[in-house]
Amino acid sequence: MDDLFPRTLRGKGEGPGGADRLWTRIAVAPDSSCGGGFDPLLAKALAPVGCKRLVRATYTDATSTSVTTVGVLITTSGPTGMRTLHQRFVAEKLDERSDLMPRPYAAKGTAAAGFGDEQRASWRIRILTDAPAVIYTVSGFADGRKVTDPQSAGEATQRGATSSPAQSGLGNDARGIADRIEAGFRRALSIFTESSESAGASESAGASESSESSGSSESTGSTS
């Protein structure tokens, strides 16, 4: 799990005004199905690509004033289905709708214990088109305060944004953590793919050598 959700993440220049950010993992949720992982409306929007597995972790910033849950939904869909869903999210701007925010993972005994649905402040949803995965984040204040003006990470990190998620850096947290987990996921997927292809090539070569050896033996036998 450390490979997918590192214990610490560094965001050089990722904070408001180009400040550096450091995020520390404080909780990892047990592997699960998607039941309860999303609000009903978001679950419906993601339903076309299916759910094979959902893994989540929650991070806090260096001052323990903000908390961010990041999730990786492994889908059952192929490339066509992922591209179709991605196109829909882009065309309809579903990733900017506050009624489609992901749910947080509030782990007891941590800074995220009070991180509930009403504390959600900023979020990011990424539908991958070259892998069967959806990567998302949702951020909020660690003190449990309710947020009345949630804003997507894309909007909250725009120049001149004045919402509380923008000014507090929660949009930066949602964006920065999502980007780093996505990069790590892609690296892991690339290594897995290369290993699988290498193993397949070795098996194919072994089968070919075995076949040639068998053929040679049969030829020798017929000559005798």
Side-chain angles (χ1 to χ4, degrees):
M1 194 58 70
D2 286 351
D3 292 334
L4 181 58
F5 299 131
R7 293 181 182 277
T8 59
L9 296 170
R10 295 185 180 276
K12 187 173 179 58
E14 287 289 343
D20 294 342
R21 301 291 265 187
L22 174 66
W23 301 286
T24 301
R25 193 188 73 201
I26 56 175
V28 177
D31 287 7
S32 68
S33 63
C34 293
F38 304 106
D39 285 343
L41 198 57
L42 180 55
K44 182 178 180 180
L46 296 174
V49 295
C51 172
K52 183 177 182 180
R53 183 185 181 194
L54 176 64
V55 290
R56 298 172 292 167
T58 296
Y59 287 80
T60 187
D61 70 331
T63 62
S64 296
T65 58
S66 70
V67 285
T68 303
T69 291
V70 56
V72 180
L73 163 64
I74 305 301
T75 76
T76 58
S77 180
T80 299
M82 297 304 296
R83 284 194 296 269
T84 298
L85 184 64
H86 176 267
Q87 290 168 358
R88 184 191 172 202
F89 263 69
V90 171
E92 300 179 24
K93 297 183 177 180
L94 300 185
D95 58 341
E96 296 181 8
R97 285 176 43 174
S98 60
D99 59 345
L100 291 177
M101 282 190 290
R103 279 180 173 166
Y105 172 58
K108 295 181 179 179
T110 72
F115 189 19
D117 290 347
E118 293 184 336
Q119 284 69 43
R120 293 177 290 186
S122 191
W123 71 98
R124 187 171 194 182
I125 302 174
R126 288 275 291 152
I127 313 294
L128 305 190
T129 57
D130 55 350
V134 176
I135 297 176
Y136 68 85
T137 50
V138 58
S139 61
F141 295 103
D143 61 8
R145 79 183 75 170
K146 294 181 180 179
V147 178
T148 59
D149 58 344
Q151 192 173 41
S152 70
E155 296 173 311
T157 54
Q158 289 182 357
R159 183 184 298 275
T162 59
S163 66
S164 59
Q167 295 184 336
S168 63
L170 290 173
N172 298 77
D173 290 340
R175 182 186 67 182
I177 291 177
D179 287 348
R180 274 146 192 77
I181 297 303
E182 179 181 343
F185 176 80
R186 289 184 181 281
R187 284 194 298 270
L189 185 63
S190 176
I191 293 172
F192 174 78
T193 301
E194 290 176 0
S195 298
S196 297
E197 291 177 348
S198 177
S202 297
E203 291 178 0
S204 177
S208 177
E209 291 176 0
S210 177
S211 177
E212 290 176 0
S213 176
S214 176
S216 175
S217 297
E218 290 175 359
S219 176
T220 301
S222 61
T223 302
S224 303

